[in-house]
Amino acid sequence: MADVLVQEGEEPKLSKKELNKLAKKAQKASKAAEVKMADVLVQEGEEPKLSKKELNKLAKKAQKASKAAEKGGNQQQSASDEQEDYSKDFYGSYGLVNSKEKKELNFLRVKEVTAANASKDIWVRGRVHTTRSKGKNCFLVLRQGVYTVQVAMFMNEKISKQMLKFVSSISKESIVDVYATINKVENPIESSLSLPLPLPKLPLQIEDASRRAPTDEEKSNEQENQLAVVNLDTRLDNRVLDLRTTTSHAIFRIQAGVCNQFRNILDARGFVEIMAPKIISAPSEGGANVFEVSYFKGSAYLAQSPQLYKQMAIAGDFEKVYTIGPVFRAEDSNTHRHMTEFVGLDLEMAFNFHYHEVMETIAEVLTQMFKGLQQNYPDEIAAVGNQYPAEPFQFCEPPLILKYPDAIALLRANGIEIGDEDDLSTPVEKFLGKLVKERYSTDFYVLDKFPLAVRPFYTMPDAHDARYSNSYDMFMRGEEILSGAQRIHDADILTERAKHHQVDLVKIQSYIDAFKYGCPPHAGGGIGLERVTMLFLGLHNIRLASLFPRDPKRLTP
């Protein structure tokens, strides 16, 4: 509006109509610049009441306001251009997935994101393990079970700045779907991300829960640079998060494999799977370590073992049976290998003339299981070993069978004072396992012919030496994982042995009655699933091998 300024000494050469137009423009421009000028309009039929100086002032204000308005408009247009998000249709949140609609996306497992699928465009779903954003780049690692994959994003004509910002703000442990192209890298990605603080804050960091605890030597050498690790109680208090680690996934995949192998091997050998009750009228083992529960107007007990029902199935001519289910022990033992509830893998088998037919079958089933685990779960075994280093589990074929008197002699030869009929304490068991490993190069062995005095009342005595019994234990890395024996299948002998052990006959009468109508000779044993898992992998605590462990001090989660 520079051409409308009135110079000093000149008469204004604007008509009333032009002055009104000028004033309106000034008013309009001033509004944009937040200046009020509504009182300067000239009404039709009136003489202008503004001096030359005031007209100049008005024109200058109008010019200034007009420039400000023009500048503001340009800035607004520039901001609008900068904020244009050309990727807005390619990211966002599903919101609550409540089965409102069906979607057909063919997801590839993270495990399958390999060089074999290079250059393919794929959908993948996983948890956000870590993220990092820097400039026009964004990286995130997706985790699925024991496998991870890195996703790299770069700002380009398809990926906007807003999209990168959205991705970098995704909280760790969120579940995301990604559509991407698989690219092969020359060298394996070992480490590429810094670890930002998660939002929202987690009670434990998945990275910390996945980290190997430092050795004593590492602690002494790097006291100031120790990375955080998560203790066992914190893990178990926040078990859902702890289960997301690759180590936990590997442990429980292997544990599922133990059950699968146990079933398949026994099925192939002609065994029948049975289901035994867990609420019973009398203690299974005839002892005090039992949970008593109210049962309507009376009391009942949680089964310490399915043994009675396995034996009754044998008496019913099933010949070979097994069962998998919970076992309850009311033992106030707060050790690395005891729990009040665990999963029992139990089997029972009729034999023709000698209980070794059964003992050798069980040992062969276990060695076949170990072989299957090593063949089918190498990645999982390696994943556990990264966090909990242990020597690979060793076993021999056929399995080593050691007589109890020979074990006693071996212990004595190595400085252990122990009687012929003494039971083995836990430290002595561990030491014997070490001696066996050194001599026979095996972590698994069978100890046969236990002293009769240290076995339950239903154990068949040795026909040649009354001090011993037809019973056996099986060990992994020096710790017992199975206890078994030939059972007394004669009602009269069973009654006599129960009296000798001062067992209340009234409480076990239904057990004795099961053998009154004839029963084939039989033997069996019970295996602890969590203990097998722990010792096969070389874990330091059985609770790591229990999804939600129960012990005298833990009843949740």
Side-chain angles (χ1 to χ4, degrees):
M1 291 181 68
D3 57 340
V4 300
L5 289 178
V6 180
Q7 302 297 323
E8 284 293 332
E10 291 183 3
E11 291 293 328
K13 299 177 182 179
L14 300 177
S15 67
K16 297 176 183 177
K17 187 175 182 180
E18 288 174 319
L19 283 170
N20 268 340
K21 187 176 180 181
L22 172 62
K24 285 180 179 178
K25 282 187 177 182
Q27 181 185 26
K28 186 176 180 182
S30 66
K31 282 184 177 178
E34 298 184 356
V35 178
K36 293 183 180 179
M37 296 184 65
D39 57 346
V40 300
L41 287 179
V42 180
Q43 302 298 323
E44 284 292 334
E46 293 183 8
E47 292 294 329
K49 300 178 181 179
L50 299 176
S51 66
K52 297 175 185 178
K53 187 175 182 179
E54 286 174 320
L55 279 171
N56 270 339
K57 187 176 180 182
L58 172 61
K60 286 180 179 179
K61 282 188 177 181
Q63 182 184 22
K64 186 177 180 181
S66 179
K67 286 183 177 180
E70 183 179 358
K71 184 179 178 182
N74 291 337
Q75 289 177 340
Q76 187 174 0
Q77 181 64 38
S78 175
S80 176
D81 292 341
E82 185 180 349
Q83 290 174 5
E84 181 183 354
D85 185 2
Y86 47 85
S87 302
K88 61 181 180 297
D89 296 328
F90 302 111
Y91 67 91
S93 173
Y94 287 130
L96 177 65
V97 178
N98 56 0
S99 304
K100 182 179 180 181
E101 59 181 336
K102 293 182 179 180
K103 288 182 181 292
E104 295 294 335
L105 297 181
N106 295 318
F107 289 101
L108 196 69
R109 301 289 297 175
V110 169
K111 179 181 180 180
E112 298 166 350
V113 180
T114 62
N117 288 313
S119 301
K120 290 184 179 179
D121 294 333
I122 57 102
W123 279 101
V124 65
R125 172 173 288 187
R127 282 195 184 274
V128 175
H129 189 62
T130 54
T131 61
R132 183 189 64 180
S133 179
K134 185 177 181 181
K136 296 181 179 181
N137 305 327
C138 183
F139 300 90
L140 65 158
V141 169
L142 296 187
R143 188 184 72 247
Q144 189 180 72
V146 300
Y147 300 97
T148 58
V149 64
Q150 179 173 268
V151 179
M153 299 177 64
F154 308 98
M155 186 175 171
N156 54 34
E157 68 278 1
K158 292 183 179 179
I159 299 176
S160 66
K161 182 178 181 180
Q162 293 86 347
M163 185 173 180
L164 290 179
K165 184 177 180 181
F166 174 84
V167 173
S168 65
S169 67
I170 297 175
S171 300
K172 285 195 289 183
E173 295 306 300
S174 298
I175 299 172
V176 298
D177 294 345
V178 177
Y179 185 72
T181 303
I182 299 175
N183 286 312
K184 183 180 178 180
V185 293
E186 294 299 324
N187 299 310
I189 298 171
E190 296 179 355
S191 178
S192 62
L193 300 175
S194 60
L195 307 180
L197 291 175
L199 294 173
K201 187 175 181 181
L202 301 172
L204 61 82
Q205 299 298 310
I206 303 302
E207 294 78 16
D208 296 343
S210 303
R211 188 171 292 122
R212 177 177 62 85
T215 63
D216 291 338
E217 183 178 353
E218 289 171 337
K219 288 179 181 178
S220 61
N221 292 339
E222 302 180 11
Q223 289 187 5
E224 294 184 0
N225 298 312
Q226 289 298 318
L227 296 172
V229 294
V230 181
N231 66 41
L232 184 59
D233 283 338
T234 301
R235 289 182 185 278
L236 300 181
D237 290 340
N238 301 279
R239 192 57 161 158
V240 170
L241 287 176
D242 183 52
L243 290 177
R244 295 180 186 176
T245 66
T246 56
T247 304
S248 290
H249 272 257
I251 289 171
F252 292 106
R253 285 182 183 277
I254 292 167
Q255 188 171 93
V258 173
C259 289
N260 181 263
Q261 293 278 321
F262 185 74
R263 277 195 172 97
N264 291 345
I265 294 168
L266 291 179
D267 287 346
R269 289 173 175 260
F271 281 72
V272 177
E273 183 173 8
I274 63 171
M275 307 300 166
K278 302 299 178 282
I279 302 175
I280 57 178
S281 62
S284 318
E285 306 286 346
N289 297 324
V290 60
F291 288 110
E292 184 175 355
V293 297
S294 60
Y295 194 75
F296 300 101
K297 294 183 180 180
S299 295
Y301 303 90
L302 297 181
Q304 297 165 288
S305 165
Q307 183 181 315
L308 167 61
Y309 301 98
K310 292 187 302 176
Q311 291 187 257
M312 290 174 73
I314 298 299
D317 290 339
F318 276 61
E319 296 186 347
K320 300 175 183 180
V321 299
Y322 72 92
T323 184
I324 300 176
V327 175
F328 304 91
R329 300 286 172 88
E331 298 177 2
D332 192 9
S333 298
N334 295 284
T335 73
H336 76 284
R337 65 175 189 169
H338 286 95
M339 295 193 297
T340 54
E341 178 184 353
F342 60 90
V343 177
L345 309 177
D346 286 82
L347 68 164
E348 206 76 18
M349 172 182 163
F351 61 82
N352 293 322
F353 297 106
H354 202 286
Y355 75 96
H356 279 185
E357 298 169 33
V358 180
M359 184 186 75
E360 290 168 1
T361 295
I362 298 173
E364 290 168 4
V365 166
L366 287 170
T367 54
Q368 191 175 343
M369 177 195 298
F370 301 147
K371 188 184 298 184
L373 293 174
Q374 290 178 344
Q375 289 175 347
N376 297 331
Y377 298 92
D379 292 345
E380 287 81 359
I381 293 170
V384 176
N386 287 337
Q387 185 168 2
Y388 301 108
E391 291 293 325
F393 188 78
Q394 286 186 261
F395 56 94
C396 57
E397 295 181 276
L400 173 66
I401 298 175
L402 192 65
K403 298 292 185 184
Y404 198 86
D406 294 335
I408 295 298
L410 181 60
L411 288 167
R412 286 173 177 165
N414 286 273
I416 301 298
E417 296 183 4
I418 186 170
D420 289 347
E421 298 178 56
D422 289 349
D423 200 0
L424 302 180
S425 65
T426 299
V428 171
E429 282 182 355
K430 294 278 287 183
F431 185 63
L432 179 60
K434 180 175 179 290
L435 297 176
V436 168
K437 179 69 177 291
E438 291 173 353
R439 176 171 292 195
Y440 300 102
S441 299
T442 180
D443 288 310
F444 172 70
Y445 72 97
V446 181
L447 190 56
D448 186 28
K449 291 293 180 188
F450 272 74
L452 184 63
V454 301
R455 304 302 272 194
F457 73 93
Y458 48 74
T459 306
M460 182 69 77
D462 185 342
H464 304 290
D465 190 336
R467 296 177 301 165
Y468 295 98
S469 64
N470 297 347
S471 65
Y472 43 85
D473 280 1
M474 299 186 186
F475 295 83
M476 294 174 63
R477 299 189 195 265
E479 296 192 44
E480 176 245 313
I481 54 115
L482 175 144
S483 183
Q486 178 184 356
R487 327 296 189 181
I488 296 174
H489 57 284
D490 180 277
D492 293 336
I493 300 176
L494 188 60
T495 300
E496 180 184 331
R497 292 297 302 163
K499 288 179 179 178
H500 177 78
H501 282 261
Q502 299 181 336
V503 176
D504 187 347
L505 295 180
V506 174
K507 291 185 177 181
I508 63 167
Q509 194 59 51
S510 61
Y511 178 60
I512 295 173
D513 290 345
F515 308 107
K516 283 186 175 180
Y517 308 108
C519 181
H522 60 281
I527 306 165
L529 172 63
E530 292 86 351
R531 198 174 287 189
V532 168
T533 308
M534 172 184 74
L535 295 170
F536 178 77
L537 295 171
L539 302 175
H540 66 278
N541 197 297
I542 196 170
R543 291 156 186 81
L544 293 171
S546 176
L547 202 66
F548 297 102
R550 294 291 178 263
D551 60 33
K553 295 181 179 179
R554 181 170 292 279
L555 200 56
T556 60

